[in-house]
Amino acid sequence: MARNHTTRVRKNMNDLNNKRFFVTGGSKGLGLELCRALLKSNARVVTCARSQTPELEALESEFDNSVSFIKADLSNEANVLSLIDQAGLVTTTFDGFVANAALGADGLLTMMPKPKIRQALDINLYSVILMTQAILKGFLASGTKGSLVFISSTCAKRGFKGLSVYAATKAGLCGFSKSIAREYGQRGIRSNVVLPGFLKTEMTASLHSNQTEAVRIRTPLNRLGLPSEIVHTVLHLLSESSNFTTGSECVIDGGLTS
């Protein structure tokens, strides 16, 4: 079994060689781990975030000509449209897109300010729709059989106190992806969703300790996940190894939703 897993991982890495991917939220957490894995697979990466981080700077230094960073605030439509132009999502041939950037929007709905609700909707859903629209145009113009991967959350499948707005945006990604799979499958374009459970990232670090402890207790594997434990699934969905996979939802949550 271990040998088969190693073979699959190596094949995924070969499939990604010299291909170009656009990843949002690549400055930290899961996005950073994904950028690192893609670069180690000899892929080229364009990523964006609200600010640069030392970790991403280190990747840029190590993989000088293979990674590009664009500063962007995805809560602002004008900035998203500018990002689309800067990244060349329509005019440049990309092989895949990973919509990873998200705002946690933690809080009870009755206590949440309307601007925060709007910000979560804009970052987690509206900006994703705009960027997907652009990269699909690029796929169609170049004839690329590209892969779209949307990072959702198990919140989309199971309720969590204080995460109603976040869950709404993540559930939206699931419906959006399935429809995209239907609309463009005949062109060889694939669209899938990855639904991680709670991971050890800066986003979950902002939650109250009693919230994360409650999640841990409810998780059969009795712990939060690591970003690195999600990366292999994303790489698989971006690679040619998953050419017959579209419209799917891949849950990786330690058994939380079982």
Side-chain angles (χ1 to χ4, degrees):
M1 182 66 71
R3 183 181 300 171
N4 290 339
H5 173 72
T6 301
T7 301
R8 287 196 301 271
V9 171
R10 287 175 178 170
K11 188 177 189 307
N12 289 349
M13 292 178 68
N14 291 336
D15 287 346
L16 301 172
N17 183 52
N18 206 38
K19 291 189 175 181
R20 181 184 284 109
F21 299 96
F22 181 62
V23 180
T24 65
S27 64
K28 55 189 177 183
L30 176 58
L32 179 67
E33 289 296 326
L34 179 57
C35 288
R36 180 179 289 113
L38 285 169
L39 292 166
K40 287 184 176 181
S41 300
N42 297 317
R44 289 170 289 171
V45 176
V46 177
T47 189
C48 67
R50 283 177 291 182
S51 60
Q52 180 67 283
T53 60
E55 292 81 5
L56 185 54
E57 287 179 350
L59 278 187
E60 288 184 290
S61 177
E62 182 178 355
F63 300 93
D64 184 29
N65 296 319
S66 297
V67 57
S68 301
F69 169 74
I70 302 174
K71 184 177 180 179
D73 177 4
L74 300 182
S75 67
N76 182 292
E77 181 179 351
N79 288 348
V80 174
L81 296 178
S82 176
L83 168 64
I84 288 170
D85 287 339
Q86 290 182 66
L89 294 189
V90 178
T91 58
T92 304
T93 302
F94 281 88
D95 297 283
F97 169 46
V98 182
N100 165 74
L103 178 70
D106 175 37
L108 295 176
L109 183 59
T110 53
M111 304 297 291
M112 189 174 294
K114 289 182 177 61
K116 187 175 182 180
I117 295 173
R118 169 57 64 184
Q119 186 182 30
L121 291 170
D122 286 342
I123 293 175
N124 299 2
L125 192 55
Y126 183 51
S127 72
V128 176
I129 293 173
L130 292 179
M131 288 183 285
T132 302
Q133 181 186 54
I135 203 164
L136 279 171
K137 290 179 179 178
F139 287 166
L140 295 172
S142 63
T144 301
K145 296 180 179 180
S147 174
L148 307 169
V149 181
F150 302 96
I151 305 301
S152 180
S153 167
T154 50
C155 291
K157 297 298 181 183
R158 182 171 183 172
F160 289 91
K161 182 179 179 181
L163 293 175
S164 59
V165 174
Y166 180 72
T169 63
K170 292 302 185 178
L173 289 179
C174 293
F176 178 65
S177 176
K178 285 184 179 295
S179 294
I180 293 300
R182 286 284 181 183
E183 289 179 12
Y184 298 98
Q186 290 185 341
R187 305 296 292 270
I189 297 170
R190 297 177 292 111
S191 179
N192 295 286
V193 179
V194 174
L195 296 91
F198 283 76
L199 306 178
K200 288 185 178 180
T201 64
E202 287 188 21
M203 184 182 295
T204 54
S206 67
L207 299 176
H208 296 299
S209 58
N210 61 333
Q211 288 177 297
T212 54
E213 180 63 12
V215 170
R216 184 190 66 78
I217 292 172
R218 291 166 65 180
T219 303
L221 290 184
N222 200 37
R223 65 177 176 86
L224 272 64
L226 301 174
S228 59
E229 294 174 310
I230 311 300
V231 165
H232 286 312
T233 298
V234 179
L235 293 183
H236 171 67
L237 292 173
L238 291 174
S239 75
E240 295 175 5
S241 300
S242 63
N243 274 350
F244 198 57
T245 304
T246 194
S248 69
E249 297 179 353
C250 304
V251 177
I252 311 172
D253 66 352
L256 181 61
T257 54
S258 61

